[in-house]
Amino acid sequence: MWAADSYLENLYHASWRRIQLKADSSDMAMRKEDLKQKLQRLLGDFETVADGEHQPRMLERVQCEGYIRERVELSAVPGLSFGAYVLIPEGGRRPLPAVVAIHGHGYGSREIVGLQADGSPSAPDKTGIHGQFAVELVKRGVMVIAPDIAGFGERRLASDLAKDPHAPNSCYSMATQLLMYGKTLTGLRVAEIRRAVEYTVSRTDADERRIGMMGFSGGGLLAYTCAVLEERIRAVVVAGYTNTFKDSIMAVRHCLCNFTPQMLQYAELPEWIGLLSPRPLFLESGADDPIFPQAGFEEAARQLRDIYKRDGAEHALHTDLFPGRHEVSGRRSFDWLCQTLAE
C-alpha cells in the first residue's frame, strides 16, 4: 500500500493492546506511580531558579468592580520570566481559596481576566470562547492566579513577530526547538505554572490547603499535567480538552504543542488524566466541539469513571457535556470548583 493509513492504524492498536496488557497485569498503585515518573521524564528536564534567585515583582495593582487585579512578574527557569494576573475578591474571610486559571490558544492571560489584547478593558459581552473564566471565578469569591503561558500574547517570540506582526502564537517555533534539546513546550509551561502555584502558596491571603486549577483547551492539557505532578492542587476542572488521543489529538489537526513524544507508548489520555484520582475532578466539553469530539469525550469519561470507581472515589468525578462548541461553559463547573474548595 502506498498510503500509510493502515500502518498507523495498526500501530495504534498494537500500542493499545500493550497498554491494556500492562494495566491488567500491574498493581494499580504501582502503575500510577510509574506513570507519574514517566510523565515527568517525557516532559523533559528543566533547570529551575534557585530559592531567592528571583523575587516576585509587583507590576501593577488596579481596582476593578468587586475585586482587585494585580500583575506580578515571576520566574521558574533561569533567564526567563513571565507575568501573571492575580484577581483578589473584595470581602470574604482570609485566607482565601485560590484557583490557578490557565488559558488556551488565543491572545494570552488577558483573554480570561477581562482585558483585550492591548490591555484595555473588554466589553462584558465580548467574552470569546474563554468566557473570561478567571473573572467568573473571582466573582464567586476565590482568588485567581492567571499566568501568561509561554508562546502567547506578550510572550510570542520576537523572531515570529518579525516575520508576521500578527502571528497568533509561537507554539510551533518553541515546540520544535525545545524538542531538539529533548525538552517539550508542555514541560516548560508546566514548570512555570508550578512556579505560579508556589507563588500562590506563599501569599498570606491565600489558603495553601485550598488550591484548585482550571484550564481550557490547551490549558486543560496543562491543568491536568501540572496537577498530576503537583499534589497541592486539591480540585481540577478540565474544560474543552478531555478526550482520547485516538479520537482527537491523532484524528484532528491540532497545534504541535499538544503532542508529547512517547506518551501513547505507556497510556491513553484518559489514564493519564486518571492519575488525578481520587482528587475531585470536573470534565466539561461542548457536544459540538469539532476538535475534541463528543464520542471521544464520552469514551474518555467512561474510562475515567472506571478509574475513579476502582479507587472508591466515584463521588469525586463530575462531567458536563453541554450544548456548545469549543468553548468554556462553566454552567456547572464554576460553582462546583468554588464549592469544592470551600469545603
Side-chain angles (χ1 to χ4, degrees):
M1 295 182 184
W2 294 109
D5 303 71
S6 295
Y7 173 74
L8 293 174
E9 188 73 12
N10 291 337
L11 245 163
Y12 175 82
H13 288 296
S15 180
W16 179 232
R17 286 193 294 272
R18 287 194 301 271
I19 289 168
Q20 290 179 306
L21 285 172
K22 184 71 173 176
D24 291 342
S25 63
S26 300
D27 175 86
M28 294 314 297
M30 292 180 62
R31 177 167 170 78
K32 286 181 70 172
E33 187 57 38
D34 181 59
L35 285 176
K36 287 181 183 180
Q37 293 177 14
K38 284 184 167 64
L39 179 61
Q40 183 69 77
R41 176 176 61 81
L42 295 179
L43 295 177
D45 182 45
F46 288 87
E47 180 185 358
T48 57
V49 295
D51 290 342
E53 184 177 335
H54 186 285
Q55 294 299 319
R57 184 166 68 97
M58 180 72 69
L59 302 177
E60 67 176 25
R61 183 178 173 87
V62 179
Q63 177 68 56
C64 301
E65 186 176 350
Y67 63 95
I68 301 291
R69 186 184 70 237
E70 297 179 351
R71 185 155 173 78
V72 298
E73 181 184 70
L74 306 172
S75 179
V77 300
L80 183 62
S81 63
F82 64 98
Y85 285 105
V86 184
L87 309 185
I88 309 159
E90 295 182 318
R93 296 182 60 183
R94 267 52 172 173
L96 294 159
V99 173
V100 180
I102 310 169
H103 65 82
H105 284 69
Y107 59 81
S109 59
R110 288 174 173 172
E111 192 161 359
I112 66 174
V113 300
L115 298 174
Q116 298 184 67
D118 63 3
S120 60
S122 296
D125 60 339
K126 302 293 184 182
T127 61
I129 62 174
H130 283 78
Q132 296 183 6
F133 71 87
V135 176
E136 291 296 328
L137 291 170
V138 75
K139 287 179 177 178
R140 287 166 168 78
V142 301
M143 180 186 296
V144 182
I145 295 83
D148 297 339
I149 302 303
F152 298 105
E154 298 173 282
R155 302 196 68 197
R156 289 170 292 175
L157 295 178
S159 56
D160 283 336
L161 293 174
K163 298 172 188 173
D164 176 7
H166 303 292
N169 58 67
S170 290
C171 295
Y172 181 85
S173 300
M174 296 187 72
T176 52
Q177 292 187 52
L178 286 167
L179 285 171
M180 295 298 287
Y181 299 104
K183 303 177 186 295
T184 66
L185 184 50
T186 295
L188 173 61
R189 290 169 170 173
V190 165
E192 292 189 335
I193 295 168
R194 295 185 75 174
R195 177 66 186 97
V197 173
E198 286 286 346
Y199 170 72
T200 304
V201 168
S202 74
R203 293 183 61 116
T204 58
D205 52 356
D207 188 342
E208 65 178 350
R209 300 166 301 173
R210 296 187 292 164
I211 307 294
M213 191 165 280
M214 177 172 181
F216 168 62
S217 192
L221 158 64
L222 301 175
Y224 98 76
T225 303
C226 182
V228 165
L229 302 174
E230 184 54 77
E231 294 286 344
R232 288 175 293 189
I233 302 303
R234 178 174 165 185
V236 182
V237 174
V238 178
Y241 182 78
T242 303
N243 222 269
T244 66
F245 286 138
K246 175 66 171 172
D247 291 308
S248 177
I249 300 301
M250 297 177 67
V252 180
R253 185 177 292 273
H254 279 274
C255 179
L256 185 60
C257 67
N258 286 283
F259 298 84
T260 299
Q262 300 184 53
M263 286 196 76
L264 201 40
Q265 281 191 306
Y266 304 113
E268 243 284 10
L269 181 54
E271 189 175 8
W272 288 114
I273 297 174
L275 296 177
L276 292 169
S277 176
R279 283 180 281 171
L281 174 63
F282 195 109
L283 313 171
E284 74 167 33
S285 191
D288 296 313
D289 190 328
I291 59 175
F292 293 96
Q294 177 177 342
F297 174 78
E298 291 177 333
E299 173 58 22
R302 183 193 66 77
Q303 293 184 36
L304 280 157
R305 288 189 193 98
D306 288 344
I307 292 171
Y308 270 73
K309 183 176 181 179
R310 182 194 67 210
D311 292 344
E314 303 99 311
H315 63 283
L317 177 64
H318 299 262
T319 65
D320 182 20
L321 184 66
F322 62 87
R325 292 176 62 80
H326 188 59
E327 58 191 310
V328 172
S329 166
R331 63 175 185 174
R332 296 174 185 164
S333 60
F334 293 156
D335 288 340
W336 174 88
L337 181 55
C338 296
Q339 290 167 7
T340 299
L341 294 177
E343 294 173 356

